[in-house]
Amino acid sequence: MMKHTIRSAQEKSPRLLFGDTLTILFFVILAILLLNDKTRTIYVNLNSSHPYILGFLKVGILATFGEILSLRISKGKYSTPVGVIYRFIVWGFLGVVFVTVFELFFSGTKALLEKQLLPYTNNARTFFQAFYTSVLMNLIFAPTFMAFHRITDAYIDLGNGNLKKIFTTKFDDVLNAIDWRFFVKFVLGKTIPFFWIPAHTVTFLLPSNYRVLVAALLSVFLGILLSLKKRSVKLAEVK
């Protein structure tokens, strides 16, 4: 019996796939492009001249890719989420919003510090501005953004990725489909204070051209961590 349960757990654990090699290669190439002076300069110039287009593409591609990776970890194989095109569009729209919101809170926090409306020390002003920006953004904007994204995901899921069904899905059904208890207790209560505030503090210490990109990468990283945690819980239950 014990051998059977161990075998079952091993069968449920994802094995290395060809897609994993491509995934690793993708992130290696991304790192090389950002570390290379010429390609980094091209990226910075494009991001400065077309911030909304780059914001749409960066968040749309990376965050959607993060959802695919999460499914790979949980299911043991690569598959696309339901309505992947619509999820990409939603993520891309949020990327455009992030471009504005990041600048709004960073500049707003700077004004608060200049008017001495927030405590800080002169020799650590850069850190305090990054920290306060992260705190204010995650407490004021993040809950709204996260709830909006939960709702759009529910529309796509209930509509089974069909545009006509998505638009005919009732809002009450969407609200009932969302686990708001989990959303408040875990997503807001744990990921914001223990992950997003520290992570975005680091993000706002970076030059502005890299902040939205890093935020998108962080969402991929968090999705992978949560998927690994869920998988470990399932394996523990099997054993």
Side-chain angles (χ1 to χ4, degrees):
M1 182 67 178
M2 184 176 293
K3 289 182 179 179
H4 176 71
T5 55
I6 293 174
R7 193 182 304 113
S8 298
Q10 290 174 340
E11 289 173 355
K12 290 187 178 184
S13 61
R15 54 190 173 82
L16 189 65
L17 302 175
F18 176 68
D20 297 329
T21 303
L22 294 180
T23 297
I24 295 170
L25 184 62
F26 169 79
F27 286 110
V28 169
I29 292 174
L30 180 62
I32 292 173
L33 291 175
L34 290 175
L35 291 172
N36 181 271
D37 289 337
K38 291 183 179 179
T39 52
R40 185 174 65 249
T41 300
I42 293 173
Y43 163 75
V44 170
N45 290 337
L46 284 173
N47 197 70
S48 298
S49 57
H50 305 287
Y52 289 124
I53 295 175
L54 267 291
F56 184 95
L57 293 175
K58 284 183 292 189
V59 177
I61 293 172
L62 289 172
T64 305
F65 187 44
E67 292 194 32
I68 294 172
L69 285 179
S70 297
L71 287 176
R72 184 268 180 270
I73 294 171
S74 60
K75 293 185 176 181
K77 62 179 181 180
Y78 282 93
S79 60
T80 55
V82 175
V84 64
I85 297 299
Y86 305 123
R87 293 177 191 275
F88 168 77
I89 293 172
V90 171
W91 274 119
F93 166 74
L94 290 172
V96 173
V97 173
F98 292 163
V99 172
T100 303
V101 168
F102 277 31
E103 183 59 39
L104 175 68
F105 279 92
F106 188 78
S107 298
T109 302
K110 181 180 179 181
L112 291 173
L113 292 174
E114 289 174 350
K115 294 182 178 182
Q116 298 183 345
L117 294 174
L118 291 172
Y120 70 96
T121 56
N122 286 322
N123 57 349
R125 174 167 175 159
T126 301
F127 167 79
F128 276 102
Q129 182 169 352
F131 173 71
Y132 285 136
T133 302
S134 180
V135 170
L136 292 172
M137 186 182 74
N138 279 291
L139 294 182
I140 297 172
F141 166 72
T144 302
F145 140 65
M146 291 174 175
F148 171 80
H149 194 243
R150 277 288 192 284
I151 291 171
T152 56
D153 275 356
Y155 266 110
I156 294 170
D157 289 335
L158 292 176
N160 200 29
N162 181 286
L163 190 60
K164 184 178 180 180
K165 290 182 179 179
I166 291 172
F167 279 106
T168 56
T169 299
K170 294 181 179 179
F171 188 54
D172 285 344
D173 293 335
V174 169
L175 294 179
N176 291 330
I178 299 171
D179 186 348
W180 292 109
R181 182 181 179 85
F182 173 81
F183 175 76
V184 173
K185 291 188 67 175
F186 182 78
V187 177
L188 299 185
K190 291 187 178 180
T191 66
I192 285 180
F194 300 118
F195 180 82
W196 286 117
I197 288 178
H200 277 150
T201 298
V202 176
T203 300
F204 283 109
L205 288 171
L206 299 173
S208 59
N209 282 310
Y210 299 99
R211 290 171 188 163
V212 173
L213 174 63
V214 171
L217 289 171
L218 286 171
S219 70
V220 175
F221 179 67
L222 179 61
I224 292 173
L225 286 181
L226 294 178
S227 297
L228 288 172
K229 182 179 179 181
K230 289 179 181 178
R231 173 175 164 262
S232 64
V233 170
K234 288 180 180 179
L235 289 176
E237 291 175 351
V238 170
K239 293 179 180 179

